[in-house]
Amino acid sequence: MKYYKELTELQCFTRADVERITGNAETANSLLTSYQKKGYIESVKRNLYVAVSMETNQAVPNRYRIASHITDGAYISHHSAFEYYGCANQVFYEVYVSGDKRFEQFEYDDVVYRHIAPRISVGVEEKPDGVRITDMERTMLDSINDFEKIAGLEELLCCLEVIPRINEEKLLEYLERYGKQFLYQKAGYVLNHLKNELKLSDRFFEVCESNVSKSVRYFYNGVEHEQNVFDKRWQLFVPKNLLKIISQGGEVHGGVQQTNIIQTSTGSRVYP
């Protein structure tokens, strides 16, 4: 266990990291093989390893730190960022990872790691625990933009409801970077329902409204088949009462079936 301490300090590491520690490529290869057989480390995917705790027999790093090391520049985003910040209503068995370098979806320790192509590059932070992640404002806009693909409308609203005051200027900057009219419409409509809780000014919604043309959109696919109304300000066909959706638990919204969480000895699993 000569190098075990160094590896546990790294938590996540590559073959190059082991070569740097041992000072020799051949020694590094031998150590990786030996330590995996003895259960000191585990392979997450090709050329990504984690140290294993001798006390718990579990990986030392959590899912968020692992995800931050999948590729150079990888970072946590969308619902997984809400989970990290403690704002999620549910913990999913998937971790959403953004970054310029794509990777094939894979599973490790009952958790699926899934790449989501980023729409913008700003709004990424590195936390003291080594996790790279979108800040709260970027997380909000990414999640509003992609809620039909990730988590669904009900879960999105539950997350937004518990967010403390946010930086309005960052929201506007990121919206401008997105440069997407539909996101101005959706963000304006959704966040207007939480205006007081998030301490958003009238100016924020005026800027959003100024970027909305006369083209009419459906708030999400399928809303045309539900009870809805036309919101003239945002040029959207929307649910009749958006905030009531939160209390309707378990229904399909935004094309995504909401799910329940069951805790197991190996972590959280999602069951329909």
Side-chain angles (χ1 to χ4, degrees):
M1 296 179 65
K2 180 178 179 181
Y3 299 103
Y4 178 72
K5 183 176 183 295
E6 289 94 327
L7 296 181
T8 56
E9 289 174 352
L10 286 176
Q11 298 191 23
C12 300
F13 48 90
T14 64
R15 185 179 300 273
D17 293 321
V18 179
E19 286 186 20
R20 176 177 52 80
I21 292 172
T22 62
N24 182 280
E26 186 175 337
T27 302
N29 290 335
S30 176
L31 182 145
L32 287 170
T33 300
S34 173
Y35 276 22
Q36 284 185 81
K37 287 181 179 179
K38 293 176 180 178
Y40 299 160
I41 66 174
E42 288 183 344
S43 173
V44 174
K45 62 186 292 292
R46 183 178 180 183
N47 199 30
L48 179 62
Y49 305 88
V50 293
V52 175
S53 167
M54 295 295 97
E55 296 178 355
T56 65
N57 291 321
Q58 298 292 317
V60 173
N62 62 27
R63 60 177 67 185
Y64 307 111
R65 182 149 183 174
I66 291 172
S68 299
H69 288 79
I70 290 174
T71 63
D72 291 338
Y75 55 90
I76 311 303
S77 65
H78 293 79
H79 188 269
S80 299
F82 278 139
E83 292 177 22
Y84 179 89
Y85 290 127
C87 294
N89 183 53
Q90 301 178 353
V91 177
F92 291 170
Y93 73 101
E94 285 185 308
V95 175
Y96 301 106
V97 186
S98 292
D100 293 334
K101 292 186 178 180
R102 296 185 60 86
F103 62 86
E104 291 296 322
Q105 177 176 301
F106 68 92
E107 181 176 342
Y108 168 71
D109 196 23
D110 297 325
V111 175
V112 174
Y113 293 84
R114 176 182 166 196
H115 181 265
I116 304 295
R119 311 302 177 104
I120 58 177
S121 59
V122 295
V124 179
E125 302 176 336
E126 182 161 349
K127 301 299 183 180
D129 60 2
V131 170
R132 287 189 294 271
I133 189 169
T134 52
D135 62 23
M136 185 60 79
E137 292 78 12
R138 166 82 184 272
T139 301
M140 290 170 62
L141 292 180
D142 284 346
S143 298
I144 291 172
N145 186 66
D146 297 325
F147 75 85
E148 290 188 74
K149 301 175 183 176
I150 301 172
L153 180 56
E154 180 185 335
E155 179 66 12
L156 168 65
L157 295 176
C158 287
C159 294
L160 294 176
E161 271 205 323
V162 298
I163 294 174
R165 183 170 182 167
I166 44 83
N167 187 318
E168 182 176 305
E169 293 306 315
K170 280 188 177 182
L171 279 179
L172 290 173
E173 177 192 347
Y174 300 163
L175 278 166
E176 185 177 1
R177 298 264 187 161
Y178 257 95
K180 187 176 179 181
Q181 178 196 313
F182 194 21
L183 183 55
Y184 276 108
Q185 289 175 280
K186 291 194 291 186
Y189 168 68
V190 170
L191 298 181
N192 190 54
H193 287 78
L194 301 167
K195 176 180 178 180
N196 294 332
E197 291 84 348
L198 296 173
K199 306 297 188 297
L200 291 170
S201 71
D202 290 335
R203 173 177 168 270
F204 174 80
F205 297 99
E206 289 166 1
V207 172
C208 288
E209 191 173 4
S210 70
N211 284 275
V212 175
S213 71
K214 296 298 181 181
S215 62
V216 176
R217 306 288 294 269
Y218 287 100
F219 181 56
Y220 59 79
N221 292 326
V223 72
E224 66 269 26
H225 303 304
E226 302 174 10
Q227 192 175 25
N228 62 76
V229 294
F230 179 65
D231 189 307
K232 184 176 180 181
R233 182 181 188 186
W234 303 112
Q235 294 292 299
L236 287 173
F237 280 102
V238 298
K240 189 171 183 179
N241 191 326
L242 183 70
L243 296 186
K244 278 189 177 179
I245 290 174
I246 298 175
S247 63
Q248 291 175 354
E251 296 189 5
V252 176
H253 291 285
V256 178
Q257 173 68 46
Q258 294 303 299
T259 53
N260 299 315
I261 300 298
I262 296 178
Q263 296 292 332
T264 70
S265 59
T266 57
S268 300
R269 278 190 173 276
V270 181
Y271 293 87

